[in-house]
Amino acid sequence: MSEGWRDRWVGTQVLRIWFAGPMSVQINPSILSADFARLAEEAKAVEGADWLHVDVMDSHFVPNLTLGVPVVESLSRATQTPLDCHLMIEDPDRWAPAYVEAGAGSVTFHVEAAAAPVRLAREIRAKGARASMALRPATPVEPYEDLLPELDMLLIMTVEPGFGGQAFLDIMLPKIRRTRALIDRYGLDMWLQVDGGVSAETIERCAEAGADVFVAGSAVYGTDDPAAAVRALREQAAAAAVEVPR
Ligand code: DX5
Ligand code: ZN
């Protein structure tokens, strides 16, 4: 796919948009599917990945408990790969800044749990990390359209958050498409991440719909060669990705 004019559906109308070339894609393995007793080695096993996805769960926002600030601090010293912390916790307004201080390069909070998402995104950015907001499957993007310029990434959950290894929710594809259209319409410099059930079977659908950052847990750590799985997923996503509008 090369540069040129393309017709793109935005809401109910077709717009002519100039496309500058293929979109760059990123693969973020989720250590939720790794061996928690060997986290440093498991992080090294995917050093070709763009980010390491770290799922923080508090057994309140989701019915599962994983890890917290001290583990993130140790992990950030154990790997060169930047950490993409996904906070599935209550009261992220209170706890998220500590994850930036612990070394996370990107911090994602859930909008359903945040009391003041704009203030929180600004605080995360001011502390030096990328600010990202996540939407559970039942949370629509449209009410948050005006907040998008405050964010470096939007995460669309493609399973109910809480556990790895769940089946991908195809019904999220229209939301991914609508979010990509919003990003293009406003010319925003932000990434669109998908998380949950992303695998060799589903990654192309996500890329075609407009996602450009792909979290994969079991599809990476459930294989004998996690680094090879990352490379294969990246090739698949890049081949299916839409082009970048200018
Ligand atoms: C689920 C987590 C995901 C999880 C994805 O709540 O946010 O990051 O690790 O695992 P897979 O890729 O196995 O669905
Ligand atoms: Zn996650």
Side-chain angles (χ1 to χ4, degrees):
M1 290 193 284
S2 55
E3 65 175 28
W5 291 100
R6 299 278 187 284
D7 290 335
R8 166 72 69 84
W9 280 98
V10 177
T12 54
Q13 49 179 328
V14 179
L15 292 186
R16 292 233 111 175
I17 297 174
W18 177 262
F19 283 91
M23 184 181 273
S24 73
V25 299
Q26 303 186 70
I27 306 295
N28 301 6
S30 167
I31 56 159
L32 186 62
S33 301
D35 179 350
F36 273 31
R38 301 168 39 249
L39 276 186
E41 285 164 58
E42 296 278 67
K44 285 205 171 67
V46 293
E47 254 166 11
D50 298 281
W51 296 77
L52 199 61
H53 186 82
V54 180
D55 287 306
V56 177
M57 304 185 188
D58 66 353
S59 84
H60 291 275
F61 182 72
V62 288
N64 196 3
L65 183 67
T66 54
L67 50 85
V69 169
V71 176
V72 170
E73 231 165 44
S74 299
L75 249 186
S76 75
R77 284 194 297 270
T79 177
Q80 300 291 314
T81 311
L83 303 184
D84 161 33
C85 283
H86 176 195
L87 307 183
M88 285 158 279
I89 60 173
E90 297 288 2
D91 204 2
D93 305 69
R94 176 172 175 195
W95 301 111
Y99 287 88
V100 184
E101 286 158 19
S106 174
V107 175
T108 301
F109 58 87
H110 269 265
V111 69
E112 305 87 356
V118 173
R119 188 177 61 202
L120 181 54
R122 288 185 180 185
E123 196 179 344
I124 292 168
R125 279 178 160 178
K127 283 188 168 291
R130 295 177 63 88
S132 160
M133 193 171 85
L135 308 178
R136 297 183 79 129
T139 306
V141 66
E142 285 76 12
Y144 305 105
E145 200 174 315
D146 294 339
L147 271 59
L148 299 183
E150 299 287 336
L151 303 168
D152 298 299
M153 183 167 82
L154 191 85
L155 163 52
I156 293 184
M157 290 303 302
T158 41
V159 297
E160 284 294 347
F163 301 93
Q166 301 180 74
F168 179 80
L169 291 173
D170 261 304
I171 53 168
M172 290 298 105
L173 290 169
K175 180 155 79 176
I176 300 169
R177 266 185 226 110
R178 293 198 308 273
T179 308
R180 169 53 59 196
L182 285 174
I183 293 171
D184 291 353
R185 186 196 304 167
Y186 295 121
L188 299 171
D189 180 19
M190 70 182 294
W191 298 342
L192 180 51
Q193 184 177 64
V194 282
D195 181 10
V198 176
S199 68
E201 283 69 50
T202 58
I203 197 165
E204 287 166 354
R205 274 175 265 168
C206 298
E208 279 160 10
D212 56 0
V213 183
F214 305 86
V215 176
S218 42
V220 169
Y221 283 108
T223 66
D224 293 340
D225 188 344
V230 169
R231 286 193 299 272
L233 287 170
R234 185 181 284 118
E235 273 173 33
Q236 263 190 297
V242 294
E243 299 194 336
V244 186
R246 286 282 176 266

